[in-house]
Amino acid sequence: MADKLIIFDTTLRDGEQSPGASMTRDEKLRIARQLERLKVDVIEAGFAASSNGDFEAVQLIANSIKDSIICSLSRANDRDISRAAEALKGANRARIHTFIATSALHMEKKLRMSPDQVFEQAKQSVRFARNLVDDIEFSPEDGYRSDMDFLCRVIEAVINEGATTINVPDTVGYAIPELYGQFIKTLRERVPNSDKAIWSVHCHNDLGMAVANSLAGVKIGGARQVECTINGLGERAGNCSLEEVVMAVKTRKDYFGLELGIDTHHILAASRMVSQTTGFVVQPNKAVVGANAFAHASGIHQDGVLKARDTYEIMRAEDVGWTANKIVLGKLSGRNAFKQRLQELGVQLESEVEVNAAFARFKELADRKSEIFDEDILALVSDESVSHIKEQYAFVSLSQHSETGERPQASIVFTVDGTEVTGASEGNGPVDASLKAIEQHVKSGAEMVLYSVNAISGSTESQGEVTVRLQNSGRVVNGVGADPDIVVASAKAYLSALNKLHSKAESIAAQG
Ligand code: KIV
Ligand code: ZN
């Protein structure tokens, strides 16, 4: 069998631990479906014991996704492990990922446990988990800063108890590629039963080396699983980015010599979906998925690429989902052309009802905007009215007036559970006035912790995409709205965030 690198995606668990990146259950399912299309081997769907919201999300994903292994994180205790097993019951293939810290610092200061207590708890937990599920991953948290002798002892014991994957986290992003690679290699050489488990790497990006460290763990250390997230989402500076690690292994197959199961054509759509859902904008110069990743601005480069693409291109943009022809559809385009474009973009709507709703939105937009870009289509399908999430609040219309030297005023019509209401207010600017007009009715008491506007396709003719992040009683939600009028986009984003804030399905970010 070819030497395969397993891709373990933790966008929905470690990615969601990023402050402000919380996702609703339905959003998580949507992303999980995209990860399945990408042919990710393992999806870490959440941390079932951390909240009811997370339990339900893991359960929903386990019941809905058929091709990927579905995993839940769990602390090394019977209650967490039972909860994870319960949430994973419906999965075709289930994995429990249990962890306990092994570094002297974490054991003493955080867990207040002796090394012997940690050793026993690790062993006991894997034994308990193995009675519930066959596929068990064990992580010694802060593994890279742990004592080598102690770590070898713990790992040998948990493999004996039935752990099938051993993941060695660089929890705080402290590693250096060569040293981390050597660390994994030494562990594999010193643990007597190391050949009974698959070795995995899990690197954080605090020093900007998560991808390099993961690749060194693979190349030098012999790891055959990489844990990563879409867009490198994750706590602090994030995790190893899936798109970068996958494209490095694919593009430099001559060096790594490894097979991947990933269908890279769906990478861009996954990146957009995660960015739009969380409000974490992708920087333009981000490798693989940034807007400039395949743009050649200098004359010399453009000339070279026109003569022979490989003068300056090491990957084909199409292979990760970019399209050469960016102006795709217009007012006269029919439903079939629209549907085909969705397929080419790697977007699969759940039902014909959703396709019809998306097509209706597309027609509305095409009436107001002559050129519809791929970015417009991707924004449009992420709209809640397309995915038929039950909306408490829905935008109807807005008018606003602003003039130099005068205080802007806005009047907005929106529905609350289907009944139209009108609000009017003034504010510091037209956006402020519009959102205050909404609050007149809703009185959410929420604090706005982020407001950002992005031109979807780069010019003033493009749609504005607005992200609003609201926080209330410990809950953090993101709302996104797109429209050629950024004041309208802002009102839509605000209403979308309010819908999530008031939704029962809302989950609170899991904390590891
Ligand atoms: O970074 C880390 O140590 C983790 C573990 C829970 C695997 O995310
Ligand atoms: Zn982590």
Side-chain angles (χ1 to χ4, degrees), residues 219 248-258:
K219 182 69 182 176
V249 171
K250 184 177 152 97
T251 308
R252 296 306 308 271
K253 191 165 180 202
D254 59 318
Y255 180 71
F256 290 103
L258 293 170

Side-chain angles (χ1 to χ4, degrees), residues 410-462:
S411 156
I412 180 162
V413 183
F414 60 104
T415 55
V416 182
D417 293 323
T419 307
E420 275 193 12
V421 294
T422 306
S425 176
E426 38 172 62
N428 287 344
V431 171
D432 189 44
S434 305
L435 304 193
K436 283 193 170 124
I438 295 174
E439 272 300 324
Q440 244 191 11
H441 276 277
V442 178
K443 298 186 181 17
S444 72
E447 181 194 353
M448 190 184 293
V449 289
L450 174 101
Y451 171 82
S452 86
V453 190
N454 186 28
I456 286 185
S457 47
S459 77
T460 51
E461 285 180 2
S462 81

Side-chain angles (χ1 to χ4, degrees), residues 13-14 73 97 99 139 141-142 167 169-171 202 204 227:
R13 197 279 298 172
D14 217 336
L73 185 71
H97 175 191
F99 75 99
S139 288
E141 192 191 7
D142 205 18
N167 178 49
D170 176 22
T171 303
H202 178 112
H204 281 265
E227 302 203 349

Side-chain angles (χ1 to χ4, degrees), residues 180-182 184-185 188 199 215-224:
Y180 184 70
Q182 281 299 339
I184 306 285
K185 185 166 184 271
R188 288 184 58 231
W199 289 73
L215 291 171
V218 170
K219 182 69 182 176
I220 304 171
R224 287 296 175 263

